[in-house]
Amino acid sequence: MTSRNRLLLPYNRPNRVFLLKRLIQFLLVCLLANAQSPKSSPPPPGYAGSIMCRGCHPDISAAFFRNAHFKSTTDEKLKFEQKGCESCHGPGKAHIEAKGDKTKIIAFSQMQPKKILDNCLQCHTQQMGRANIRRSSHTTADVVCTNCHSIHKSATPKQLLAKPQTDLCYGCHQNIRAQFSMPVKHRVNEGFMQCSDCHNPHGAEAPTWKMSARPRMMAQGLQNEEPCMKCHVDKRGPFVFEHAAVRVDGCASCHVAHGGMNARLLKRPQVFTLCLECHNGAGNFGRQGDGIQLTPPTHSLTDPKYQNCTVCHARIHGSNSHASFLR
Amino acid sequence: MNILLLALLAQQTVAPTVEPVGVPRGNTIGDYNVRQSFETGYRFANVDGNRGKYRSDVNFLNGVRVLGTSLTVNSRNGKGKYFDEIILNTQGLGNDPYQFASMRVEKNRRYRYELTWRLNDYFNPGLTIAFGQHFQNLERRMQDHQFTLFPGKKIQFFGGFSGNNQSGPALSTVNLFDTRGNIFPFFENVRRKQNEFRFGGQAQFAGMKLFWQRGWEFFKEDTRGFLDQPGTPLDPLVTNTTLANFRRDHPYHGSTPHWRVNLFTEAAKWFTVNARFTHSNGNRNFIFDEVANGAVRGGARNVQTLVFGDARRPVTAANLSFSILPTSRITISNHTAFHQTKMEGDSTIRQLTNGTLDSTVANFQFLGIRAVTNSTLLDVALKPWLSVQGGYQFSDRRIRSTELLNDAGFIDQARGEQSNRLNAGTAGFRLRPIKGLTIVADGEIGRQNRPFYTTSEKDYHAFGARAEYKQKYFRVAAQTRNSVNFNSVSLFRHSSRARNYTVDGSWTPSTRFAVDAGYQKLHLDTVTGIAYFLNFNQVDRDSSFFLSNVHAAHAGVRTVVAKKLDVYAGFSSNRDTAGSGVGFTTQPALLAAQVFPLTFVSPQVRLSYRINEKLRGNFGYQHYDYTEKILQLQNYRAHTGFLSVLWTF
């Protein structure tokens, strides 16, 4: 090795010990940043401590170690009022002294929906998935945290849902329940997927593939697109020849999302009617604003093969090798 | 309490068992509490009728299954050495068509690992599509891993991986050798693979939360199409084309790197801000190589088509939300969204016929979509029992398009640009006139000046209302959702009306008896002007009409006999009665497509016997009856069920 190369070595090939030291220093800085000042401190005025709750609420207390909120009880870095029962229910001393008077404590069953939201969001703004909760359709309809989550009697250990997710959603969205009971459907009832695979119940950004406020609460895909593309990745593209309808008005131009009576979740029982409803040359629609291309004169509607458009236009979601999606 | 919850469950597919066994206390091992359950058994299915359609809709088959397992391990003091919590759930392992597993391992405030794994066995003959020649028997495996360092702390890091593989045999079709030729089905060996890698972090400072993520998605498709034997033409009337053999390879590979940044604050009690920026670059490279050997109009025809090129799609989006809460009763939210997609691609197509290069065509395509949306929402709680809301939304979307074709020096170019604006208003209220009764209503009315498609929303309104009355053991609710859209311009009409009405209720008078039932009416009718050709004559003034009237009902009753036997009986029924659509067209093909009446009924019964505190024996039976009213080619009846043992320890 020449002396010149030795001089360049630290820049070209930083040694592993050097990198490891830097990594450890970085993690230590993060740990210090995460450290919080107050250690154990005496109860603030009005607070009694979670141990006092056990006397009257033994069933809740006994199983609380399985609850996701239990971690606050054992975290020595949290302030007293951020720990255990009183972190959500507020100071409990007056409640105890009044022998369980619900008006002397934060009782979620007695609270206005917005107060419940405020209370939970004190901690639960951590995840960015909840960044739009204030303007979500659920919030504006007074469907707040405790309508879906049951902290002490949850049916699911994850997310502490009051019931399995599908049943929770069906509770209000009965028309969607009917769609998932149809013969052709996404496999939600079968347990393969959940509503939250496509929807964000805590509110979403504005839909971008359509212009209006609907559909609501969609959990967008990688390219800010419809959630359909999260699983149906082969339909995402990009393609040289995009079927513009997929990108402009979305998958719902031709398909229903939840369930339906027609094959492949199509909006019509016969494919050709679906195609002809756009490809009719009418008005100032389409890419060039002069109507969407009409079928050619050779395509006589009396011929069965022209009633099966996708038999030739097999690459209907997008193609790289044919402008009319033939291959 | 459990039975009270179970009473309200949606009708489940007949496994796994939902009835609890014993008291879920679990066992103590060291400082941990461990609970497990394990259900295994035999699933059976007997199908009478169209088995392909049954597999498309239901797809449960015979065999031994691990119907469901669950494991939870919790540290009793929240200070486990290596972990504080493990949650593991599985469903349908051992060959069920819908398999699922999820796991979470967490050490409080140190790390969290989450896993989701799914498998879907997808079988679809698609009989009503493409002459039933687009058959698919695919398997999709999806997995997602996410590891978070320092969860719940001010500074967090995460890394993740997602995979989505699809493979299996399928059929497709190709039109050879020209438009006057015939259509031939061929086999496909589908191979698609998507992997996504991501890492990022989250930091809290000065009352703000900053989230960032960097990721890469890799996608590759290596599906091969082939036909090693003479092709069977689909159109018996066309006899001028024969196909001796066929091969198609079209590898399609690429990546989508992306950034996401989100800045959020709710530190102040009277306002919240959320800003988000995302950018992704999509790029795909492809080669298409197709060889078809045969004959057309008496002469040998060998055609090789070669296509190569690439496609790109950068997408940028930005969102900014303000929510102002001047008093505890008023919320004002404003949301601005910007979205831009640019899709462009080049492809060069070379075609050799009988060994001679007869055409080289170069294509360039561009499609750009830019949308700006602003919406404002005002929510006022006038009284504790009455709230009202109103909003306004403005959207502007511009679409630019370029289509360029170079065919041996002949250049054809088409450009287009147009924009569309939406003005929409929303309004609603929430009312709680008496204890237990909630009434919610909301509506939206919108006007677009220039929608891009004939079936897009133009002059539309949507309205929904829901009333629910709930007491301790009794609940009843009714709901309606309606949407109407008119998109008619000079010499063209399109209208769509969707009306949904539902009513449901449940009653749980005791822990040993519960009943729930519901009825849903889903109506849809659409009329769209269409144009087409009949024997080279253009028909302009015809209509495509579609009418669907679905009457859906479900009911379930659950009871406990002698404290040991849980019995559940239920049914779901979906009946599309359609209706009469005569009058909109005289064309037989269109008349036949106006309605699609059918019935899909599925009763079920489940028995679950508690043998002891840790063991249950279970039996379930579910019947499926699918009946079409017109063709009846796809009708089937299926008897499915399972016999299982559920062991909790």
Side-chain angles (χ1 to χ4, degrees), chain A residues 197 222 229-231 233 236, chain B residues 113-118 141-147 158-165 192-199 213-220 258 260:
Chain A
D197 286 329
L222 175 65
M229 305 297 183
K230 288 182 184 177
C231 295
V233 288
R236 176 188 279 151
Chain B
Y113 168 70
E114 290 177 291
L115 157 74
T116 308
W117 177 88
R118 308 182 223 202
R141 290 169 184 266
M142 296 192 291
Q143 56 181 312
D144 184 78
H145 307 260
Q146 179 92 350
F147 183 82
F158 66 84
F161 165 75
S162 299
N164 183 339
N165 291 0
R192 298 178 183 128
K193 192 170 187 176
Q194 183 217 27
N195 290 322
E196 184 195 308
F197 301 90
R198 58 187 178 270
F199 71 91
Q213 177 180 307
R214 176 79 168 127
W216 297 265
E217 181 233 27
F218 299 95
F219 177 79
K220 61 178 181 179
H258 66 268
R260 286 180 190 168

Side-chain angles (χ1 to χ4, degrees), chain A residues 132-275:
Chain A
N132 288 289
I133 198 164
R134 293 282 179 188
R135 48 178 284 278
S136 84
S137 303
H138 276 157
T139 302
T140 55
D142 274 357
V143 177
V144 294
C145 316
T146 50
N147 290 84
C148 301
H149 299 274
S150 174
I151 306 308
H152 300 302
K153 292 172 182 169
S154 64
T156 64
K158 276 184 168 183
Q159 285 101 33
L160 299 179
L161 296 176
K163 286 185 270 185
Q165 191 189 99
T166 311
D167 303 300
L168 269 177
C169 303
Y170 286 171
C172 294
H173 303 279
Q174 282 282 322
N175 54 332
I176 308 301
R177 174 186 181 143
Q179 291 169 21
F180 279 119
S181 300
M182 290 182 182
V184 185
K185 70 273 184 182
H186 276 111
R187 311 300 165 145
V188 169
N189 290 348
E190 288 76 6
F192 177 72
M193 19 186 337
Q194 300 190 91
C195 307
S196 60
D197 286 329
C198 303
H199 297 273
N200 182 347
H202 302 119
E205 311 290 346
T208 47
W209 61 92
K210 286 188 77 175
M211 298 182 70
S212 65
R214 295 160 297 113
R216 295 187 173 113
M217 307 184 100
M218 305 305 292
Q220 293 165 337
L222 175 65
Q223 290 205 301
N224 241 46
E225 70 236 328
E226 289 176 277
C228 315
M229 305 297 183
K230 288 182 184 177
C231 295
H232 300 278
V233 288
D234 54 309
K235 312 288 190 298
R236 176 188 279 151
F239 302 108
V240 173
F241 303 101
E242 301 264 3
H243 196 169
V246 180
R247 285 287 150 187
V248 175
D249 272 2
C251 308
S253 301
C254 301
H255 299 275
V256 293
H258 300 122
M261 296 299 204
N262 307 321
R264 306 272 164 94
L265 290 172
L266 288 168
K267 288 167 79 173
R268 302 282 182 273
Q270 297 292 325
V271 173
F272 76 96
T273 55
L274 204 53
C275 305

Side-chain angles (χ1 to χ4, degrees), chain A residues 93-147:
Chain A
K93 205 170 181 180
H95 172 71
I96 295 166
E97 288 169 356
K99 297 182 178 175
D101 185 351
K102 281 188 175 180
T103 61
K104 306 282 187 191
I105 200 165
I106 296 175
F108 287 80
S109 59
Q110 312 294 314
M111 288 165 69
Q112 285 292 312
K114 273 195 177 157
K115 291 283 182 193
I116 294 172
L117 188 69
D118 289 342
N119 209 314
C120 298
L121 286 181
Q122 286 179 22
C123 299
H124 288 282
T125 51
Q126 287 271 355
Q127 283 88 356
M128 288 301 165
R130 298 187 194 111
N132 288 289
I133 198 164
R134 293 282 179 188
R135 48 178 284 278
S136 84
S137 303
H138 276 157
T139 302
T140 55
D142 274 357
V143 177
V144 294
C145 316
T146 50
N147 290 84

Side-chain angles (χ1 to χ4, degrees), chain B residues 294-308:
Chain B
V296 60
R297 288 177 281 279
R301 181 70 65 95
N302 306 315
V303 176
Q304 182 171 19
T305 307
L306 296 164
V307 188
F308 55 90

Side-chain angles (χ1 to χ4, degrees), chain B residues 245-260:
Chain B
N245 56 61
F246 177 85
R247 176 185 59 77
R248 176 187 285 176
D249 287 289
H250 50 117
Y252 174 59
H253 295 192
S255 64
T256 307
H258 66 268
W259 276 99
R260 286 180 190 168

Side-chain angles (χ1 to χ4, degrees), chain B residues 4 6 17 100 110 156 204 215 238 260 341 346 350 382 480 513 542 556 565 584 609 635 641:
Chain B
L4 199 147
L6 292 169
T17 297
F100 178 86
R110 289 288 180 268
Q156 303 175 30
Q204 295 179 47
V238 178
R260 286 180 190 168
T341 303
D346 303 277
R350 286 182 182 157
L382 298 172
T480 178
F513 182 80
D542 211 340
L565 180 65
F584 287 94
Y609 183 75
N635 292 359

Side-chain angles (χ1 to χ4, degrees), chain B residues 554-572:
Chain B
H554 69 271
V557 60
R558 184 184 301 272
T559 186
V560 182
V561 179
K563 296 185 180 180
K564 287 214 164 188
L565 180 65
D566 281 75
V567 180
Y568 175 79
F571 85 96
S572 76

